[in-house]
Amino acid sequence: MLLASLLLCCCCVLAGQLKVTGQVGSPWSTGNNDYYYDPLNPEDTLPVITTTNSSLVAIQGDSLLLPCEVHNLGDYSLTWRYKNEILWVLHQDADGLDVQCVSQDDRIGFNGTSLTLGPVEPRDSGTYICELGTVPIRALIHTLAVRVPPSVYPANNRSVVTIKMGGSITLACHATGHPKPTVTWSRKGGNLPGPAEGATLSVEDAVPEDNGIYKCTARNGVGEPASTSITLQVMHEPKVWAERDEVYSGVAYDSSLACYVEAEPRAQVKWYKVGDIPVDPLRLRKTVDANYRYSLHFDHVQLDDFGNYTCNATNFMGNSSALLRLSGRPKPVRYTSSNQGDKNTSYVLTWYVESYAPVLAYSIYYRNESDTEDQWVSFTVPGTTSSSIHHSNSHTFTELDPGATYYVQVTAKNEFGVSDINDTFTFTTFDAAATDSPEDYHVEGENSPSINQSEDMVSEVVGVVEFHSAPTSTMDDADSPEFPSEMVANQTEEKEVERKVLAAATAAVQDDTSGAFTFTLAPAERRAQMIALITAISLSCFFS
């Protein structure tokens, strides 16, 4: 009984095996069926994906191809999935490829058996699967990472932040992007009150100098950096200062006073003449520009316009004023002469001054640097009338010490007042002991080591020309041991030549009736003739 049951089971197993494999005949046959196979689905006829798995990186906005090359697709279907979502299904029939789109996203398409996507968005990051409908399923996996350029915006979208002076506040920016951006801070035209990195910037004990535009910049290496600005306004009372404390002008000239105002909130600015007298709105024009420069313009200044004015600014935090002056007095004197003199005991000081009214007088103060008592000598010289606003003058100091340094101050006076004292001017006289005097001109020769040349002085009075020789030594040249006999002879010859030339010149122009030396030529011609005469005398002294 048991033996019969075992035989029945073996026959059933063998029959089942033959049914599954489809083999005809005995499996132990040595005929053509020694190597059997499934003729309906052999292994070498299944489709194969030839593309390998990959990790892809794209930048937001790019268009992308996710490859999935398939060999011998046959009647099998191909499906693209994103996470758990089916994007589209492809199968091949007798008429060719048939694609059935499942996703409603217009950015998704196909290129053969590959997937196209674009423009790429941040939400597209993730896993994409290309799978075949085989048993078992054959699949390809692409991992996509979308890199997003940075973007940044102020916290709470507050691009303007206001705080009272002395308070504290934190400026903040929110940055997005992939990878996560880093944030840095900068300030337009100023320094930062805190660290330059991080999403926040703290301002403690705010002062008006903290006012400004603060910029936060986000960077993550993708595309260009992104920036946004936050304007910080520290509320404070006005700060007022004059463009120029004193403006110089003259009657009938146009002129302007100007002040600058810093205030938060913006201040109301009014102009007053000293004594809280509002300016006449019918005569004056008040303007303000983008730099908060407030000006008061005078058309054709009148005498009553000269004086002091205040530029007053007020807001709910307080008020402040600046004092300005419209003045008719001269500006400070400017010096034009050299600091080094060329004379031993004298010096010519030159200067100029701007004055819309004629200069009546100049006051000069000077002292020797070596004067330990700081004693200044003062005197007055008359001014000069001029139709121009530029006036120049000069003064010659005499009886000075050679090689000495002197300090000078000059002020100018007109009908409206006296100018301020400019910086002290310093000059130094020539030091004859340190170097050869410019008045001593000597010629070195084989027979004469030096010759002191006397200077002729010519003066012309009412057409009469007179010649005056400079004083010479009272010692007789022949008796002086310092002058060789050859030098004395040369000087005697020079004097004789000079006498002959002078006699010839005077004989040609002498008036027989008066005995005076007169010229009948024009002044310019007479002057030219005199220059030629002096030149001839000088040359005779050197070359005779």
Side-chain angles (χ1 to χ4, degrees):
M1 184 72 178
L2 178 62
L3 180 60
S5 299
L6 290 173
L7 291 174
L8 180 61
C9 289
C10 290
C11 292
C12 292
V13 170
L14 181 58
Q17 183 177 5
L18 292 174
K19 182 179 180 180
V20 170
T21 61
Q23 182 177 354
V24 180
S26 172
W28 297 278
S29 173
T30 57
N32 295 330
N33 294 322
D34 286 346
Y35 298 97
Y36 63 90
Y37 58 91
D38 186 353
L40 299 178
N41 196 15
E43 183 67 23
D44 58 354
T45 63
L46 292 177
V48 178
I49 299 176
T50 59
T51 307
T52 58
N53 299 337
S54 65
S55 296
L56 304 176
V57 177
I59 297 177
Q60 181 182 12
D62 289 350
S63 294
L64 188 66
L65 175 69
L66 286 79
C68 183
E69 298 294 334
V70 178
H71 174 70
N72 193 25
L73 179 60
D75 295 336
Y76 291 91
S77 63
L78 183 146
T79 304
W80 272 100
R81 300 176 184 272
Y82 172 62
K83 297 181 180 178
N84 295 323
E85 177 186 358
I86 297 177
L87 302 179
W88 52 261
V89 178
L90 178 148
H91 68 276
Q92 185 169 329
D93 54 19
D95 297 330
L97 292 176
D98 180 25
V99 178
Q100 180 182 359
C101 295
V102 178
S103 174
Q104 301 299 317
D105 194 339
D106 294 336
R107 300 176 302 118
I108 296 175
F110 68 95
N111 183 358
T113 54
S114 299
L115 178 71
T116 60
L117 176 63
V120 175
E121 297 179 358
R123 59 188 175 90
D124 296 327
S125 295
T127 301
Y128 292 80
I129 303 173
C130 174
E131 63 182 23
L132 298 175
T134 59
V135 181
I137 295 175
R138 297 181 177 183
L140 168 73
I141 299 175
H142 289 307
T143 301
L144 175 63
V146 178
R147 302 182 67 186
V148 182
S151 61
V152 63
Y153 56 93
N156 302 320
N157 290 321
R158 295 178 60 190
S159 59
V160 178
V161 179
T162 303
I163 185 177
K164 286 187 177 181
M165 187 171 62
S168 301
I169 196 170
T170 299
L171 308 179
C173 286
H174 291 316
T176 60
H178 184 78
K180 184 179 180 180
T182 58
V183 178
T184 57
W185 291 85
S186 60
R187 181 183 176 189
K188 183 177 180 180
N191 297 324
L192 293 173
E197 296 185 358
T200 61
L201 179 69
S202 297
V203 181
E204 306 289 341
D205 298 325
V207 293
E209 288 73 17
D210 294 326
N211 275 326
I213 299 176
Y214 294 79
K215 183 171 72 173
C216 56
T217 302
R219 297 178 175 85
N220 67 351
V222 182
E224 296 296 327
S227 299
T228 189
S229 297
I230 300 176
T231 300
L232 176 62
Q233 297 177 340
V234 180
M235 293 187 293
H236 61 92
E237 66 180 14
K239 294 176 59 178
V240 185
W241 67 95
E243 184 178 60
R244 287 182 293 171
D245 294 334
E246 184 171 3
V247 175
Y248 301 91
S249 186
V251 175
Y253 287 88
D254 293 346
S255 191
S256 293
L257 303 177
C259 67
Y260 289 91
V261 177
E262 284 186 358
E264 184 58 44
R266 186 170 177 174
Q268 182 181 17
V269 178
K270 294 183 179 180
W271 288 89
Y272 298 92
K273 200 166 184 181
V274 170
D276 295 333
I277 303 174
V279 296
D280 186 355
L282 299 179
R283 288 198 58 252
L284 305 172
R285 291 184 287 112
K286 294 176 286 186
T287 60
V288 58
D289 61 17
N291 296 321
Y292 299 104
R293 176 183 180 272
Y294 295 81
S295 60
L296 184 65
H297 186 75
F298 299 82
D299 289 327
H300 303 293
V301 171
Q302 300 177 4
L303 286 174
D304 293 341
D305 294 328
F306 292 117
N308 294 328
Y309 292 81
T310 56
C311 173
N312 181 268
T314 305
N315 64 9
F316 76 88
M317 297 290 293
N319 69 84
S320 181
S321 298
L323 182 65
L324 303 89
R325 184 180 183 186
L326 182 64
S327 173
R329 65 180 184 148
K331 289 185 177 182
V333 168
R334 300 290 181 179
Y335 305 99
T336 58
S337 51
S338 172
N339 297 98
Q340 179 61 56
D342 58 357
K343 302 294 183 182
N344 292 339
T345 59
S346 63
Y347 176 82
V348 179
L349 176 70
T350 59
W351 67 86
Y352 84 96
V353 64
E354 293 183 25
S355 175
Y356 288 84
V359 176
L360 303 178
Y362 296 96
S363 296
I364 300 178
Y365 307 83
Y366 78 102
R367 72 176 182 88
N368 194 322
E369 183 185 41
S370 62
D371 186 357
T372 58
E373 297 182 358
D374 196 19
Q375 185 71 30
W376 290 80
V377 178
S378 63
F379 56 90
T380 301
V381 298
T384 55
T385 60
S386 174
S387 58
S388 171
I389 65 173
H390 300 282
H391 306 260
S392 60
N393 210 332
S394 64
H395 175 73
T396 302
F397 294 91
T398 58
E399 300 181 0
L400 303 177
D401 295 337
T405 299
Y406 290 85
Y407 299 136
V408 179
Q409 294 176 349
V410 180
T411 61
K413 179 181 180 181
N414 65 12
E415 61 179 305
F416 298 101
V418 179
S419 66
D420 289 335
I421 296 178
N422 205 345
D423 295 335
T424 300
F425 181 76
T426 303
F427 71 85
T428 303
T429 55
F430 187 77
D431 188 359
T435 183
D436 293 332
S437 171
E439 291 124 356
D440 297 335
Y441 183 87
H442 61 88
V443 178
E444 295 183 359
E446 184 177 324
N447 299 323
S448 57
S450 65
I451 300 176
N452 292 329
Q453 177 65 40
S454 63
E455 179 181 357
D456 291 336
M457 296 176 292
V458 180
S459 63
E460 180 179 348
V461 181
V462 195
V464 179
V465 179
E466 298 179 356
F467 295 89
H468 305 273
S469 298
T472 57
S473 174
T474 56
M475 182 181 294
D476 187 273
D477 293 340
D479 298 334
S480 174
E482 298 179 359
F483 290 85
S485 58
E486 295 86 358
M487 189 173 188
V488 174
N490 290 338
Q491 289 181 342
T492 302
E493 294 177 0
E494 291 170 2
K495 292 180 180 180
E496 181 62 21
V497 172
E498 178 181 344
R499 185 188 64 79
K500 292 179 180 179
V501 173
L502 181 58
T506 54
V509 298
Q510 186 175 8
D511 187 345
D512 295 334
T513 58
S514 63
F517 300 102
T518 60
F519 289 94
T520 60
L521 300 175
E525 296 174 335
R526 187 165 63 250
R527 187 175 296 105
Q529 189 173 12
M530 287 304 306
I531 293 174
L533 177 61
I534 295 173
T535 303
I537 295 174
S538 301
L539 292 175
S540 67
C541 295
F542 286 104
F543 298 103
S544 59

